[in-house]
Amino acid sequence: MAADMAGAGAPPPADPGGVRMTWNAWPRSKVEASKCVVPLAATISPIYPISDDFVLPYPPLRCKPPCFAVLNPFCSVDFINRIWTCPFCFSRNLFPPHYDGISESNVPGELYPQLSTVEYAPPPAPHSLPPPPPVFFFVLDTCLIEEELEFLKSSMRRALAVLPENALVGLITFGTQAHLHELGCTDISKVFVFRGTKEITKEQILDQLGLSGHRGQPKGVTPQPNGLPQRAGSVNRFLLPASECNYPLNALLDELQSDQWPVEMGNRPTRCTAVALSVAAGLLGACLPGTGARIIALVGGPCTEGPGMIVSKELSEPLRSHKDLDKDASPHFHKAVKFYENLANQLVDQGHVLDVFAASLDQVGIAEMKVAVERTGGLVVLAESFGHPILKDSFTRIFYGGEQSLGLSFNGTLNINCSKDIKIQGIIGPCTSMQKKGALCADTVIGQGHTTAWKMCGLDRSTCLTVFFDLSPSERSNQQGTTHEQLYIQFVTNYQNAEGQMRIRVTTITRKWLDISTNAEELVEGFDQETAAVVLARYISLKMEMEEEFDATRWLDRSLIRLCSRFGDYRKDDPSSFTINPNFSIFPQFVFNLRRSQFVQVFNNSPDETAYFRMLLNRESVTNSVVMIQPSLLSYSFSTTPTPALLDVASVAADRILLLDAYFSIVIFHGMTIAHWKNMGYQNQPEHQAFAQLLQAPQDDAKMIIKDRFPVPRLVICDQHGSQARFLLAKLNPSATYNSAREVTPGSDVIFTDDVSLQVFCEHLQRLAVQS
Ligand SMILES: *[C@@H]1O[C@H](CO)[C@@H](O)[C@H](O)[C@H]1NC(C)=O
Ligand SMILES: *[C@@H]1O[C@H](CO)[C@@H](O)[C@H](O)[C@H]1NC(C)=O
Ligand SMILES: *[C@@H]1O[C@H](CO)[C@@H](O)[C@H](O)[C@H]1NC(C)=O
Ligand SMILES: [Zn+2]
């Protein structure tokens, strides 16, 4: 048995990890940790794609209770006596008989030193049900103008065409009322109507559908060959396999009209988004509790009726802005958020996901819905029209399989174990605390805390979470003789993968404990600037949402100054003497761009846009999130191959093309001369082939970026001095408009104005960092 565990031949190459840390060597004491300024944190991509070589066809071996840590490469193994020692609790465990074949030259995959991540794929129990089918419950807004409704319908038709045959599909349409469509009957379409004015409980929903007798599992529930619990009529009537409901659904879409209720002059349409979502959640909760299912809402405007209402019907009442929210002058905001918090709790209990695709020139309420989307691990896409490629192409992608698949998975639970003295403060990202309290939980909470276990109803290959750590206050350095050199953290994710199989992903990492007084260098070398920038961005975004008076710019300035004072080399009060280790060198620039970014300068955007940007910031990999904070810029010209350019106006030149990747948007910017030649059509003349190629190169590169990104980014193609050039210019360092450094008043710590150049910013930084 051990032989097939180990697999044959050479071990696979080291995996790329799925964990990044702000600090890759940790100080031993809480006091020293707080002097590091940037918090001890790890980002983990719980199910990033791994090679099949890392998948083990048997269940994990666990340490004895109460530890339960999974066997990993950092366990010390006594091959003679068949004993492994757990690095978390130091218990000694006997290998069970089926590991009898192991030896130093025949170790099971989970002990390969280069595999910090493995995935267990135990065979299903003998009489277990087949994997459940994917479930898509569509909730469609009909308060749309004709054109938008047609875009929405064609997106739906495309989706229906690519859905897996066995996928269960349900449909609610809504406007003034919510209509639940019975898909089971072929001839006449039957509809259940729910009033939009009143909050409706799950019980009332089931009553109205004649399902209430079946509430409360599991009497009368018999597992069916399709793996679903089936109850008299319920599933069959409202959730049908795609293969059976394709015809009725397409017929229904053909007949679907804009909401027929009259809209008075000067009013918004009556739109009961929240009631429609309640009905979807209630029905799924009754039919398919515990089975992964997605509610996919396509929303074209604000909820103006009933619970979850974000604005009144009168057009004279404007939608809430950041200013209104700051002044607490939005009458509906807290009530609506409360509604979505309750919906989030219900969905998390049921294991279901809420995805929102929003298309509107104005806001639809993403800021209020954020909690329900984020806590369930849902997807969100925001654009101005259902016909925009951002929405259209993103929507289609969620149904793709194979290479292009997003790897949408369900029913995830993340458990974290760590060495004694490490405390977990919480997680920022798409998950919900399961409130599993224990000795490992810190008292102060960041994000989803008070727990060592988190639920992820929906997760996918790009899902990323940020875990914040603290150290226990005991002075470890006092007891050096007895302490251990290494710290360990283990992440265990149980989940149902895109094919419906239960998997257990285990990532175990180790890092060094440092004695700062003798080993400051290793601390510095372990600083990961990109991760630190992303973690700070996530942290301040959370604080901006939670704390009324939080001043993000000032907080960032102070932190950066403290960091540079702590880790820089300089003579006191001599700015020109300041130098800093290369491991910190680009960090000030990240902070400079973070201060200018949409995450801090929220007043340039609507609350919906801010909520949208933050949800993506919180769920993407470090590499992607860095681009959101500090866009990347490539320069194309005749003389060189495409080269990275400084994010500075100085990079603009008449004979260059620039490609800006700001994550949410991608800009191709033609310098003046290039634009002129292009308008003259030189690219179409055979003697100017080189020019045609130069024009094409950034287009091809942009296509490559767009192909891999979800949501699909906005593509802007513009010319220097054209009206859309601002999409590029807004992201560039304003070095050219630099108008003499403003003197800092002595003693003041508000140091930077919003439009200083990077150079001025760094000068000020050095001056303040060296101050005694
Ligand atoms: C590891 O995690 C499990 C499950 O969350 C928990 O019961 C156990 O106490 C943890 N072990 C240690 C050593 O913290
Ligand atoms: C969901 O996950 C839990 C915990 O990992 C597991 O016990 C349960 O069987 C899973 N449910 C389904 C429907 O797979
Ligand atoms: C710190 O710098 C050293 C030397 O350039 C480099 O090898 C190391 O990878 C850097 N550390 C991190 C965490 O990036
Ligand atoms: Zn243990």
Side-chain angles (χ1 to χ4, degrees), residues 62 66-69 86 88-89 415-420 436 440 452-453:
R62 290 182 182 267
C67 173
F68 299 111
C86 170
F88 293 94
C89 69
N415 280 281
I416 303 181
N417 267 154
C418 32
S419 295
K420 199 170 143 287
K436 190 171 159 200
L440 290 175
T452 56

Side-chain angles (χ1 to χ4, degrees), residues 71 130-131 139 175 179 218 249 282 335 353 370 376 426 597 702 764:
L71 179 65
V139 178
H179 294 174
L249 262 176
K335 243 180 100 183
V353 184
K370 175 172 182 276
T376 61
S597 72
H764 284 189

